[in-house]
Amino acid sequence: MIELDLPDTQGNIHRPYGRFGFPHSRHLFFTIADAAAGRLFVQGIRPRITTAEPWGKSEAGGAGPTLLRKPPITLNIGFTFLGLRALDLPTRTLRLLPDEFIDGMGCRADILGDVEGSAPKHWDPVWRSHLDGTTRPAHVWVSLNVGANPDGTPLPELGQWTAWLQELVAKSNSGVALLAGHGADGQALWQDSAALMEPGPDGTMIPQPKEPFGFTDGISDPVFRGQFQADAEARAVIGAGKIAEGPYDPKTSWKALETGEFILGQVDEGQEFPVATQPPGFARNGTFMVWRKLRQDVPGFEAEMRRQAALWKQVTGIADDVEAYETVSAKLVGRWRSGIPLLAAPCWADHQRLMAEWADCIDPALRKPRDDARHQERLAAFARLLTGFRYGDDPDRRQMPVRRPYTPRQSARHARPAAERDAWGKHAHQPPPHPAPRAALCRSRWRTGRDHDGDLFKHFPAVRIHPAAMDELRPGFRSRQ
């Protein structure tokens, strides 16, 4: 069992905050004009960085690591290559960083497929520094994740910590600046996001695991060694890890992915230590991340699905409008809106049967208390079903868990204008020195329609975990305390 250095690992690498009661996030980007001022700015932030130390006995396994009280807000930090250079890091450290990280996504737009409607000239102004030099480049990324009030609004700590960061900037005497240039009008000082929410029985707003097109999200959450205590890992890894050699047993054949696929300084699946830079301590317990933004055209998607549903009815003879609409939508995405994969329910009738069979796991009103062990086993079994794992099937038919959202796929569908129905995702990975072994991981494109009717994908390096597809998620921020 690997024991990670949790106090030296940022919490956003180890823990998906959205599942821990933090439905709101705020992303702020800073530029550094003076290295000394930049170092003081980072040192001012450092004591408040959220580490991966456990927040309770359920995470810690009851013994071993130090237990911390769950905070009302989290803070994490990352740096671009230009940010590391602006902080006057040694040349021997800078020159050994991966080329993709040094170039950044803007310079690699053609390689990454960011062309036409997704070209850099259409990105938010804050990301256009490489085009004409008039925009100052982003050097430091700071994210705040916070809980919600009963009415769904963010806790006051979000505003308080934002004001504190602005005070640190003011104290730098122009050595550090907060970059504007976000949002539909390109004027916002930061990028806010929030999980979709719906009112519960008592009126309290409850975050939903849904993305703007209405599909269940946050399913493919890979498990790596050292992420959980042994007993928790054995449960979580089924359908979310890799299958070991030998006779297949659905309960014992699943193993956690190697930690080095996510965190530097650890062995990866090739039994190698991913090369980052020198000295080794600079990168240890960090990772390379991608911060990207996409625009999802919900009305356009729904209109196209209605058109396709009409054609589907003509071809198949199906008379029910809902069945036709949901079927063509599921065939495009690969799973039904409930999250049940087509592998488990190839047709509408199969889906409806599984919905009835697992109703107590789907409908919150039917769920039983957490101390009901048998119901917890059913929830775990349903979670395995959502990963694409089918009991008794050939294990090669599973769906690889190859992406990891940073928080719930975020958009306020009914609260923002159409132009701001966006989704933000953070993915982490290690730079791929050997492309061939990574080919199996090139399945992480979001299945919400690339460049659909002018949809806009925004790519930029940032900070979080995932063995992301090498063809689009190579550059990233370095995540280190």
Side-chain angles (χ1 to χ4, degrees):
M1 184 69 185
I2 289 180
E3 291 190 11
L4 301 179
D5 187 358
L6 300 181
D8 193 48
T9 304
Q10 290 204 56
N12 64 326
I13 299 176
H14 185 267
R15 182 186 290 116
Y17 289 139
R19 296 188 180 183
F20 285 78
F22 296 90
H24 290 275
S25 62
R26 175 167 292 173
H27 308 278
L28 305 97
F29 296 85
F30 303 87
T31 190
I32 298 170
D34 178 78
R39 289 174 180 269
L40 286 175
F41 176 74
V42 173
Q43 286 298 326
I45 292 175
R46 195 167 179 266
R48 295 199 187 189
I49 290 177
T50 304
T51 69
E53 293 169 279
W55 289 340
K57 292 184 179 180
S58 60
E59 282 194 282
T66 302
L67 298 181
L68 300 180
R69 178 178 297 177
K70 179 182 174 181
I73 188 170
T74 68
L75 181 150
N76 292 104
I77 191 170
F79 307 89
T80 63
F81 171 78
L82 295 179
L84 298 177
R85 191 176 71 174
L87 290 169
D88 276 352
L89 265 70
T91 300
R92 78 156 180 154
T93 296
L94 296 174
R95 69 183 179 86
L96 292 176
L97 289 164
D99 293 344
E100 298 85 356
F101 176 68
I102 294 173
D103 290 342
M105 284 184 141
C107 295
R108 299 171 58 82
D110 290 343
I111 299 174
L112 301 172
D114 287 325
V115 297
E116 299 178 352
S118 297
K121 66 180 181 180
H122 299 297
W123 295 358
D124 286 351
V126 69
W127 309 125
R128 301 179 195 168
S129 64
H130 64 288
L131 295 179
D132 55 17
T134 59
T135 302
R136 290 178 292 179
H139 291 155
V140 181
W141 165 85
V142 173
S143 73
L144 301 173
N145 288 264
V146 69
N149 293 305
D151 63 356
T153 58
L155 294 175
E157 283 82 358
L158 181 61
Q160 295 166 5
W161 282 45
T162 300
W164 162 70
L165 287 168
Q166 292 176 299
E167 290 175 4
L168 289 181
V169 169
K171 292 178 181 178
S172 72
N173 294 320
S174 300
V176 178
L178 174 62
L179 291 174
H182 301 277
D185 60 2
Q187 301 297 316
L189 286 173
W190 44 72
Q191 183 73 72
D192 279 344
S193 54
L196 294 169
M197 298 187 187
E198 293 181 2
D202 61 353
T204 299
M205 298 300 291
I206 302 174
Q208 303 297 312
K210 298 286 185 179
E211 52 77 54
F213 291 149
F215 289 84
T216 298
D217 200 15
I219 294 172
S220 300
D221 201 1
V223 173
F224 58 90
R225 295 180 64 192
Q227 189 177 8
F228 300 104
Q229 295 297 312
D231 56 342
E233 179 180 294
R235 295 190 300 270
V237 76
I238 298 177
K242 60 186 178 184
I243 297 178
E245 296 181 359
Y248 178 69
D249 184 320
K251 293 184 178 180
T252 62
S253 292
W254 288 91
K255 305 298 179 184
L257 297 167
E258 292 293 345
T259 310
E261 294 295 317
F262 305 90
I263 299 179
L264 292 166
Q266 301 286 342
V267 173
D268 63 14
E269 285 292 322
Q271 297 304 299
E272 299 175 331
F273 288 93
V275 177
T277 187
Q278 295 293 329
F282 173 79
R284 186 180 296 119
N285 296 322
T287 192
F288 288 94
M289 312 299 305
V290 173
W291 190 94
R292 66 187 237 171
K293 175 180 176 181
L294 66 87
R295 178 169 298 141
Q296 294 178 253
D297 184 357
V298 177
F301 175 83
E302 293 174 346
E304 179 62 19
M305 289 304 97
R306 285 192 294 271
R307 188 180 75 83
Q308 294 293 339
L311 296 174
W312 182 259
K313 290 171 63 178
Q314 295 176 20
V315 172
T316 64
I318 292 175
D320 186 81
D321 291 338
V322 174
E323 178 180 351
Y325 180 86
E326 294 298 335
T327 299
V328 296
S329 299
K331 288 184 176 296
L332 175 67
V333 175
R335 59 179 67 238
W336 303 88
R337 292 180 195 274
S338 63
I340 295 175
L342 286 174
L343 286 175
C347 66
W348 177 250
D350 290 334
H351 176 252
Q352 294 301 93
R353 174 180 55 79
L354 288 177
M355 287 288 287
E357 179 181 341
W358 297 95
D360 60 325
C361 298
I362 299 173
D363 187 349
L366 298 178
R367 290 188 179 180
K368 298 179 181 179
R370 289 182 177 272
D371 58 359
D372 188 318
R374 180 172 297 182
H375 184 63
Q376 292 304 310
E377 290 180 2
R378 276 187 58 78
L379 288 174
F382 181 66
R384 293 194 292 270
L385 176 67
L386 294 187
T387 67
F389 173 74
R390 293 177 65 191
Y391 311 106
D393 275 4
D394 180 346
D396 288 336
R397 294 182 64 188
R398 76 197 189 285
Q399 293 182 357
M400 280 288 290
V402 294
R403 69 170 177 81
R404 177 167 186 167
Y406 180 68
T407 58
R409 200 54 50 74
Q410 302 181 27
S411 171
R413 178 176 177 183
H414 303 293
R416 291 199 187 114
E420 277 295 280
R421 287 173 183 166
D422 301 332
W424 295 266
K426 276 67 66 183
H427 301 258
H429 65 108
Q430 307 307 343
H434 309 294
R438 299 275 176 144
L441 298 178
C442 295
R443 306 180 187 178
S444 66
R445 289 183 183 273
W446 292 353
R447 298 179 179 180
T448 47
R450 183 180 179 87
D451 289 332
H452 171 74
D453 194 21
D455 285 357
L456 185 61
F457 278 68
K458 298 290 181 66
H459 299 270
F460 198 79
V463 191
R464 197 141 161 102
I465 317 190
H466 189 53
M470 63 184 182
D471 63 339
E472 31 175 333
L473 301 181
R474 283 182 175 177
F477 281 95
R478 180 177 172 278
S479 173
R480 185 80 166 90
Q481 219 170 289

